[in-house]
Amino acid sequence: MRGKAPTLFYLLLLVSSLIPPHIEAETNGRYAAIFNFGDSLVDAGNLIVNGTPDYLATARYPYGMTYFGKPTGRCSDGRLVVDFICQEFGIPLLPPSKAHNANFKQGANFAITGATALETEFFEKLGLGQVVWNSGALHTQIKWFQDLKPQICGTPEACKEFFSRSLFILGEFGGNDYNAPLFARRKFKEVYAMMPHVMKSISDGVEKLIAEGAVDIVVPGVLPVGCFPVYLSLSVNMFKIKKEGFGSRSGCMKKFNTLAWVHNSLLRQTIAELRVKYPQARIIYADYYSAAIQFILHPEKYGFAKQIPRACCGAPGEGVYNFNMTAKCGEPGATACPDPSTHWSWDGIHLTEAAYGHIARGWLNGSFADPPIIPTESSSR
Ligand SMILES: *[C@@H]1O[C@H](CO)[C@@H](O)[C@H](O)[C@H]1NC(C)=O
Ligand SMILES: *[C@@H]1O[C@H](CO)[C@@H](O)[C@H](O)[C@H]1NC(C)=O
């Protein structure tokens, strides 16, 4: 498989050069830069800038096999949503913000695997200090952004002006916050009790970016984790989900999806309040949730195989999900499916490049965003 990757890479280059350039011409130059914050869904390599730790399976082959031909620290077989968005706007793929000697004039990616909305102290107070592995929470990432300003812009006025012409993507955040109590087998009641704090953190984050001059801000919601192979493989033995706890069409765990759904509806409410407070800003709700549900209910529309939620890369474990905690993608015993574009789930936790591409297009054109990132006549401010 290693030998095949470069050929596929050049083929992709060839195919992309055949796509008519008119779409590019419309959106190219729309933004001076893109700044991205988040967790492993959008980490572009921040965790491995000083080398790859031994424990980190996501930085090993076959991660990266589809587009880069090698692992880059991205938790996917190829590009992430933010990469597709950069390409749409003619901006080079964002360097991880911790990269040495990188050029940040057109943006930076502050996302880091494991990131939470809440600070480590919050989890320590709940007795969850052991289960969070926080390498840079939301407000730590915003601090990294503020520290990087001297390398991006000049005077405070010049920075504000530059950021007003940039696109900011804040999230998703929340997924890892809820993972911590869920994997510690805490009650759902305790998980729900965290939500107002998560909302406050995200809301404060948006306000900090607006204070820096940001105008266009994308705020993504969380994914339907009840459909994720990692959770599904633990559904019976660890989470004790009975037959009626699974959706009859989706095969997903209802309790977990309801949790994500409630987070997202609170987030939309939070965004609505921010819009009233900052009418000059354009705050976009970006929907990972509906996209993933569509992949499961209408796989044929997206070129995915019709099947129970199943990881492309992994090994057999509990159930039919191709997820095994002791042989995860990148670890000995795990293999990738021959064509990752037939699966929406890459490693049971993160999505494939194919899935991220559909999501990015939906955020840009509006089928999975409110309003669309690329304004239409009726949605432009
Ligand atoms: C998970 O993988 C390990 C090998 O790492 C294997 O011994 C075990 O049988 C697998 N579990 C299942 C349920 O297949
Ligand atoms: C928008 O993107 C989605 C996701 O890829 C796609 O299914 C849909 O056809 C696109 N719509 C338009 C109008 O381009």
Side-chain angles (χ1 to χ4, degrees):
M1 213 178 293
R2 242 172 218 280
K4 255 166 112 178
T7 331
L8 193 58
F9 177 69
Y10 291 115
L11 189 66
L12 277 167
L13 281 182
L14 180 69
V15 171
S16 57
S17 69
L18 297 174
I19 293 171
H22 66 274
I23 300 179
E24 231 171 88
E26 282 171 24
T27 52
N28 239 334
R30 182 173 165 81
Y31 291 113
I34 298 181
F35 298 98
N36 183 77
F37 306 81
D39 57 22
S40 58
L41 292 177
V42 280
D43 182 346
N46 253 345
L47 204 55
I48 60 163
V49 286
N50 294 321
T52 302
D54 283 343
Y55 63 85
L56 200 65
T58 57
R60 288 188 229 137
Y61 206 79
Y63 282 88
M65 67 178 267
T66 300
Y67 187 77
F68 301 98
K70 61 173 178 18
T72 62
R74 286 172 177 78
C75 300
S76 182
D77 60 312
R79 288 164 290 179
L80 313 171
V81 171
V82 61
D83 296 321
F84 285 100
I85 291 175
C86 285
Q87 290 181 330
E88 175 69 29
F89 292 116
I91 285 181
L93 300 191
L94 304 181
S97 59
K98 291 169 174 286
H100 309 291
N101 310 315
N103 179 345
F104 299 114
K105 296 268 185 245
Q106 285 184 278
N109 189 341
F110 301 92
I112 191 157
T113 299
T116 51
L118 301 169
E119 299 298 321
T120 306
E121 296 76 58
F122 184 95
F123 296 96
E124 283 167 354
K125 279 196 200 124
L126 293 176
L128 292 168
Q130 300 297 315
V131 285
V132 284
W133 172 68
N134 213 344
S135 31
L138 191 161
H139 291 276
T140 307
Q141 291 183 25
I142 292 184
K143 176 80 169 38
W144 292 342
F145 163 66
Q146 289 163 337
D147 291 345
L148 204 64
K149 273 161 62 177
Q151 290 186 55
I152 302 169
C153 45
T155 62
E157 296 72 32
C159 286
K160 275 201 152 177
E161 194 276 330
F162 185 74
F163 297 145
S164 76
R165 292 184 288 112
S166 301
L167 178 68
F168 288 79
I169 306 173
L170 187 69
E172 88 23 89
F173 283 103
N176 286 326
D177 298 77
Y178 306 136
N179 278 344
L182 288 174
F183 279 105
R185 303 180 192 220
R186 294 290 178 89
K187 295 206 165 62
F188 268 69
K189 217 175 73 187
E190 291 181 51
V191 188
Y192 277 104
M194 290 171 67
M195 267 184 200
H197 302 278
V198 170
M199 290 304 140
K200 173 87 167 61
S201 173
I202 295 172
S203 182
D204 290 349
V206 171
E207 294 201 273
K208 282 187 190 171
L209 296 180
I210 290 174
E212 294 288 348
V215 174
D216 283 15
I217 306 164
V218 178
V219 187
V222 296
L223 283 133
V225 288
C227 305
F228 279 24
V230 56
Y231 280 99
L232 284 166
S233 71
L234 302 168
S235 56
V236 178
N237 289 339
M238 178 164 155
F239 296 126
K240 313 285 181 217
I241 305 289
K242 305 245 164 41
K243 191 159 174 275
E244 61 277 13
F246 295 89
S248 54
R249 287 172 68 207
S250 63
C252 305
M253 291 185 286
K254 293 185 212 165
K255 229 173 146 180
F256 289 79
N257 282 2
T258 302
L259 183 84
W261 190 91
V262 172
H263 167 100
N264 289 342
S265 52
L266 288 177
L267 183 62
R268 297 195 71 152
Q269 205 178 309
T270 303
I271 290 173
E273 285 159 19
L274 287 165
R275 284 175 183 151
V276 172
K277 192 165 174 190
Y278 302 101
Q280 80 287 2
R282 191 165 168 271
I283 308 171
I284 295 166
Y285 172 70
D287 195 345
Y288 273 116
Y289 186 102
S290 309
I293 294 289
Q294 289 301 308
F295 298 161
I296 293 159
L297 296 182
H298 306 288
E300 66 291 341
K301 245 180 89 178
Y302 303 93
F304 298 133
K306 194 160 181 57
Q307 61 193 3
I308 286 286
R310 181 186 185 277
C312 161
C313 181
E318 292 297 331
V320 291
Y321 311 108
N322 197 38
F323 185 90
N324 183 328
M325 206 55 100
T326 57
K328 294 194 290 293
C329 183
E331 290 173 352
T335 51
C337 62
D339 180 4
S341 76
T342 58
H343 283 62
W344 62 268
S345 180
W346 163 243
D347 57 5
I349 303 165
H350 310 97
L351 311 195
T352 55
E353 160 168 304
Y356 286 140
H358 291 302
I359 295 169
R361 283 186 288 279
W363 289 11
L364 290 161
N365 76 17
S367 49
F368 298 131
D370 172 33
I373 299 179
I374 301 171
T376 56
E377 292 301 318
S378 57
S379 72
S380 56
R381 65 166 185 276

